[in-house]
Amino acid sequence: MCGIVAYVGHRNAQDVIIKGLKRLEYRGYDSAGIALLNNGLNVYKKKGKVADLEDHVTGEELISTIGIGHTRWATHGEPNDVNAHPHYSSSRKLAIIHNGIIENYSALKQELINKGHQFLSETDTEVLIHFIEDIWENNHCSLEEAVRLALNQVIGAYAIVIMSSENPDMLIAARKGSPLVIGIGKDEYFMASDATPIIEYTKEVVYLNDQEIAVIDNGELRIKTVEDIPSTPYIQKLEMELEAIEKGGFDHFMLKEIFEQPRSIRDCMRGRLDANEGRLVLGGIREYLNKMVNAERIIIVACGTSWHAGLVAEYLFEEFCRIPVEVEYASEFRYRNPIIREGDVVIAISQSGETADTLAAIELAKSKGAIIIGVCNVVGSSIARTSHAGSYTHAGPEIGVASTKAFTAQLTVLSLICLSIAQKRGTITDQALHQLLVELETIPEKVERVLALNDQIKEIANTFKNASNFLYLGRGYNFPVALEGALKLKEISYIHAEGYPAAEMKHGPIALIDEAMPVAFIATNDSSYEKIISNIQEVKARKGRVIAVVTEGDKLIPQMAEFVIEVPSVHEALMPMVSVIPLQLLSYHIAVMRGCNVDQPRNLAKSVTVE
């Protein structure tokens, strides 16, 4: 969840690190800190945003060519100056930054206390750097070896970077379950939780693998495993551009990313789809397509917004491929002794490709012989490397914590995978396939038409900005959209919201409806249309305030709903990519009107890399 930046080279490290922390602030923003070698090893840290840290160090003479920085999302210990990273070792010769959780820190801490160690913070991270120093001093070994020995006794997840006052040219990094990327420049190196702080300086990167240790010393990079086996760095070229991580004139990253969806959906389909020729090409799954075609069961594992995309995929795969599908919360999957058979296909969905619960679910399924197909956005991410095969969404960097373009990109990829399997299985007619492919190609243009309704949706948001509760209701393919709409509103506006299948309203939630309750219906003209009209009438009879997302040209629902948002007509299987857009805009505008920080909502971080 936390953001890591480190630098060694010829530049002023403070400038590189502070700028990098700002770009990683979406990963954590409870507190921030830096450590620099400047007349000794000095740590500067502050509760709050990176801007608060900047103010804290203003006026300090912080000239150094090596340093580490961190922006925190609290796990162990409340957000405050003391618990902020970096943390010193006992002698203050070492400093560490850490993303992850050390599960056995309590036992290690007690052992160290018995040896006379004193701790300033409540964090597991401070325990780790004390433990490393204890091994370093008592075993009379190199610091690199002390790190390796310590990590062999640590239980949990980590991405760490360590610097020492005794070696002004050395950084030591390691990872297990939390991402870490190393940028290689000309006589300089960068380290970060993801590539966003690096692309300004270099396009050459190394993604550190699980249980690897990287040592940068005297201008050279060495990598080995925690078992002390040397590893050859695999250098990749970044395709990301600097403009992709800037706001580009928008007030917030979230709004920019909502408006990027026509492009991101097109990018997702580019080279994979030709409706005129009836051609579908997904190179990332080509070798495993036959196994997917012959699968007796598909299991989808995901969290949050990605889980909602998985629910839509369940409808898709069962309707067009005729394969049974189960959609699982990754966070629960591994703890309930699931039945996984050899040959089952497990589709893991994650924007970041680093979601800890999803990675754990993958490892469990893999150990039981399942075929793992990854759907993620970040090239070189852990899920991409752990999966047998998969497809990138090509949505570009998503900085806003609340996922928007990731959702529609995931739906695009999942639709393409579904139709590829259906075509090969013969469970879809050529005519039906052609219709869906043609309609897929029109989705970006239809999303643009919905985005043109931004001002109208903003007016609706103004009406409901002070609401205390919201209900979102949908049927069929639009039920997961109701869940996603409710999640977006909760995440960024802090309004309590729930999504339900519209028919389930009568089984409890209808008791909540009164004249103060806004109810958003996703009521497009599909096979459930007549049924959802009945649900709208039930809400109206109880004086609920109805907002309806309907298909253009609808004559009936506008007579019942207080507010209507019209979206273009599209096949109901593809409608979630269109019907979700008004709900994203509604939540955005409500949050802004309430004075909320939509890009960095409280208590949330972009990538959940700890359990």
Side-chain angles (χ1 to χ4, degrees):
M1 292 259 201
C2 307
I4 283 174
V5 184
Y7 175 78
V8 59
H10 50 79
R11 304 174 195 263
N12 185 1
Q14 179 199 0
D15 295 340
V16 174
I17 293 168
I18 291 290
K19 185 180 291 186
L21 291 180
K22 287 179 178 177
R23 291 193 176 142
L24 285 181
E25 199 163 19
Y26 67 93
R27 297 181 65 94
Y29 33 88
D30 294 338
S31 56
I34 57 173
L36 302 167
L37 273 179
N38 178 17
N39 297 319
L41 179 55
N42 297 300
V43 169
Y44 308 86
K45 51 189 183 177
K46 197 71 179 170
K47 176 185 174 181
K49 308 285 188 183
V50 176
D52 297 308
L53 172 65
E54 267 193 302
D55 292 342
H56 180 59
V57 298
T58 297
E60 298 277 353
E61 291 292 329
L62 304 180
I63 306 301
S64 175
T65 56
I66 184 171
I68 58 178
H70 189 269
T71 181
R72 182 172 185 247
W73 189 88
T75 52
H76 292 78
E78 67 179 71
N80 59 32
D81 292 355
V82 175
N83 288 330
H85 298 210
H87 288 285
Y88 280 121
S89 64
S90 183
S91 68
R92 296 199 165 205
K93 292 179 181 178
L94 306 177
I96 187 173
I97 50 178
H98 168 219
N99 177 19
I101 291 178
I102 306 303
E103 295 176 10
N104 61 334
Y105 88 101
S106 183
L108 294 173
K109 185 173 186 177
Q110 189 56 55
E111 180 183 330
L112 292 165
I113 288 171
N114 293 341
K115 290 182 176 182
H117 286 253
Q118 296 181 342
F119 294 93
L120 301 176
S121 75
E122 304 168 81
T123 67
D124 52 339
T125 305
E126 188 185 10
V127 174
L128 178 57
I129 194 62
H130 277 242
F131 184 50
I132 289 168
E133 184 173 72
D134 189 72
I135 293 173
W136 186 31
E137 292 177 343
N138 291 320
N139 287 269
H140 306 291
C141 58
S142 67
L143 178 57
E144 176 184 338
E145 179 65 4
V147 171
R148 190 185 73 81
L149 293 172
L151 294 181
N152 273 293
Q153 298 182 58
V154 160
I155 299 170
Y158 54 78
I160 59 170
V161 185
I162 295 167
M163 60 187 292
S164 166
S165 62
E166 297 192 354
N167 193 328
D169 300 308
M170 183 171 71
L171 292 173
I172 299 176
R175 71 151 287 184
K176 179 186 176 186
S178 291
L180 200 62
V181 59
I182 301 168
I184 302 171
K186 185 175 172 56
D187 301 320
E188 60 184 348
Y189 291 89
F190 308 81
M191 295 181 177
S193 297
D194 64 41
T196 53
I198 292 173
I199 59 171
E200 182 174 345
Y201 308 102
T202 181
K203 290 295 184 77
E204 294 191 338
V205 298
V206 173
Y207 290 96
L208 208 59
N209 291 315
D210 258 7
Q211 300 196 354
E212 283 187 338
I213 300 170
V215 180
I216 297 169
D217 194 13
N218 292 318
E220 293 186 357
L221 169 65
R222 289 181 286 107
I223 298 177
K224 63 181 180 180
T225 69
V226 293
E227 287 82 26
D228 208 21
I229 301 170
S231 176
T232 302
Y234 173 59
I235 299 174
Q236 299 187 47
K237 190 172 181 64
L238 285 176
E239 297 180 2
M240 187 188 307
E241 298 297 332
L242 183 61
E243 292 79 10
I245 59 170
E246 303 294 344
K247 288 182 183 175
F250 287 89
D251 290 338
H252 299 92
F253 281 110
M254 182 181 178
L255 187 61
K256 172 179 179 262
E257 288 154 8
I258 290 171
F259 274 82
E260 283 178 340
Q261 287 174 106
R263 179 199 57 76
S264 60
I265 294 169
R266 284 190 186 100
D267 288 347
C268 192
M269 290 189 286
R270 184 174 289 118
R272 293 169 166 172
L273 166 64
D274 187 324
N276 289 332
E277 296 183 9
R279 182 172 57 87
L280 280 165
V281 179
L282 289 162
I285 64 168
R286 184 184 291 120
E287 292 182 21
Y288 284 84
L289 184 57
N290 284 336
K291 292 184 178 181
M292 298 171 73
V293 166
N294 295 318
E296 294 183 2
R297 180 173 66 148
I298 293 173
I299 302 168
I300 297 174
V301 293
C303 301
T305 287
S306 297
W307 187 77
H308 297 155
L311 286 179
V312 177
E314 178 181 19
Y315 285 74
L316 285 165
F317 283 103
E318 292 195 342
E319 178 170 355
F320 297 111
C321 303
R322 307 309 298 159
I323 300 173
V325 178
E326 298 173 19
V327 185
E328 301 276 0
Y329 282 113
S331 55
E332 288 294 314
F333 183 70
R334 63 181 296 211
Y335 291 112
R336 64 170 185 78
N337 195 20
I339 298 169
I340 305 169
R341 303 181 185 92
E342 191 168 340
D344 282 346
V345 170
V346 173
I347 300 177
I349 311 171
S350 166
Q351 187 282 136
S352 67
E354 301 291 349
T355 309
D357 289 317
T358 307
L359 277 165
I362 286 174
E363 296 294 349
L364 173 63
K366 210 173 181 181
S367 71
K368 295 181 180 292
I371 298 159
I372 311 299
I373 305 297
V375 174
C376 54
N377 189 34
V378 180
V379 176
S381 59
S382 296
I383 288 176
R385 287 181 286 164
T386 304
S387 303
H388 292 111
S391 292
Y392 287 115
T393 56
H394 299 304
E398 189 177 65
I399 306 300
V401 167
S403 277
T404 50
K405 66 177 180 175
F407 180 71
T408 50
Q410 288 166 354
L411 293 184
T412 305
V413 164
L414 292 164
S415 298
L416 294 172
I417 292 173
C418 167
L419 295 176
S420 297
I421 296 171
Q423 183 182 38
K424 201 165 181 63
R425 278 175 69 90
T427 51
I428 187 170
T429 65
D430 290 343
Q431 182 181 358
L433 177 65
H434 181 261
Q435 180 194 355
L436 284 164
L437 296 183
V438 168
E439 293 221 38
L440 259 173
E441 287 188 332
T442 70
I443 294 295
E445 180 268 330
K446 289 176 178 176
V447 170
E448 287 173 347
R449 285 163 59 186
V450 180
L451 292 170
L453 304 176
N454 183 48
D455 289 343
Q456 175 196 344
I457 295 168
K458 188 174 181 180
E459 290 179 12
I460 298 172
N462 189 55
T463 301
F464 294 106
K465 65 182 184 229
N466 295 318
S468 300
N469 299 281
F470 246 89
L471 279 181
Y472 288 77
L473 301 175
R475 282 178 175 262
Y477 284 97
N478 279 323
F479 159 52
V481 176
L483 294 176
E484 177 62 11
L487 177 61
K488 286 287 124 349
L489 192 69
K490 281 185 278 197
E491 284 181 309
I492 62 172
S493 74
Y494 319 138
I495 294 173
H496 173 251
E498 298 295 339
Y500 285 95
E504 285 299 304
M505 178 183 60
K506 295 189 291 290
H507 297 276
I510 198 167
L512 299 172
I513 293 173
D514 59 20
E515 62 275 4
M517 173 68 80
V519 183
F521 280 92
I522 304 92
T524 52
N525 195 354
D526 56 25
S527 56
S528 301
Y529 181 72
E530 298 297 332
K531 296 292 185 183
I532 207 159
I533 285 176
S534 298
N535 300 135
I536 293 172
Q537 289 170 332
E538 289 162 353
V539 170
K540 287 292 291 179
R542 288 153 182 85
K543 300 187 180 350
R545 306 190 69 181
V546 175
I547 306 163
V549 177
V550 304
T551 305
E552 285 177 343
D554 189 308
K555 303 298 183 186
L556 193 54
I557 294 178
Q559 297 176 29
M560 295 181 275
E562 185 177 356
F563 298 95
V564 172
I565 303 167
E566 291 191 348
V567 300
S569 176
V570 67
H571 191 290
E572 65 180 294
L574 307 178
M575 181 55 82
M577 285 185 266
V578 176
S579 61
V580 75
I581 307 298
L583 307 185
Q584 294 173 347
L585 288 169
L586 182 66
S587 63
Y588 169 79
H589 288 300
I590 287 175
V592 170
M593 291 171 184
R594 290 168 67 90
C596 301
N597 187 337
V598 295
D599 285 337
Q600 297 172 359
R602 69 187 183 204
N603 303 332
L604 295 177
K606 183 65 180 174
S607 303
V608 184
T609 58
V610 296
E611 289 188 60

